[in-house]
Amino acid sequence: MRHLALRIWLLCFLMLVWVLLWGHVSVANVASGLIVAAVITVLLPLPSVPVEGKLHPLSLLKLVALVGYYLVLSSFQVAWMAIRPGPPPLVAVLRANLPELKSDLVLALAVNIFNLIPGSIVLEIDQARRILYVHLIDVGSEATVQRFYRQVEQVQRLLVAAFERESDWQPSPDREAGRA
């Protein structure tokens, strides 16, 4: 039942994108959008992603609030670096360890979070060891480096609380068989 609901949601989403690309809602756009969505999902199916944890809405809300705070704060910091007088900021690639994250889906979400925060971009992902290599702007002091590592720890803690609590964790059959 869940698989069918996800398929229907995907068809509706792709149809909505099609209608938005055309710029107006009409019967022809909706019908052609459904046809294009069906062709895409049949010819280009996405691999199934195992859902191994349980969503905790309050923790997710805390995660969204924290990421929003980091987005605003980092935007002001990057803007200030762009207009302030003086030499350009020191940049570096730092390693972010995320050993608590079990799911590849949540690891991908962590990568997206760090890529969204202005002044940072993930350059490489060591999926097996759960390590991200992140390029950062402005690592000119020990305080800024430590702030980055605190950010990584906070994001990891909230991702686990929102999606991968130990009490709710149920490994997928692929993971148990050693294929994931």
Side-chain angles (χ1 to χ4, degrees), residues 66-164:
L66 180 74
V67 171
Y69 169 74
Y70 285 150
L71 288 173
V72 171
L73 179 66
S74 296
S75 295
F76 282 114
Q77 289 170 341
V78 170
W80 173 245
M81 282 186 277
I83 62 171
R84 76 173 182 206
L90 183 63
V91 298
V93 176
L94 298 178
R95 183 174 52 206
N97 294 311
L98 301 167
E100 304 287 321
L101 301 183
K102 301 176 196 120
S103 165
D104 290 340
L105 183 62
V106 176
L107 180 64
L109 182 58
V111 169
N112 285 317
I113 287 170
F114 291 118
N115 281 338
L116 282 174
I117 296 173
S120 67
I121 187 163
V122 176
L123 299 175
E124 187 175 339
I125 304 165
D126 184 341
Q127 183 180 0
R129 297 184 325 179
R130 300 294 197 237
I131 296 174
L132 307 178
Y133 295 92
V134 183
H135 180 272
L136 291 174
I137 297 175
D138 190 24
V139 291
S141 71
E142 184 64 27
T144 56
V145 172
Q146 291 306 315
R147 183 174 55 227
F148 167 73
Y149 287 122
R150 278 193 309 276
Q151 273 185 327
V152 169
E153 186 58 37
Q154 285 178 317
V155 168
Q156 176 180 236
R157 189 178 67 250
L158 286 174
L159 282 168
V160 169
F163 302 107
E164 296 185 333

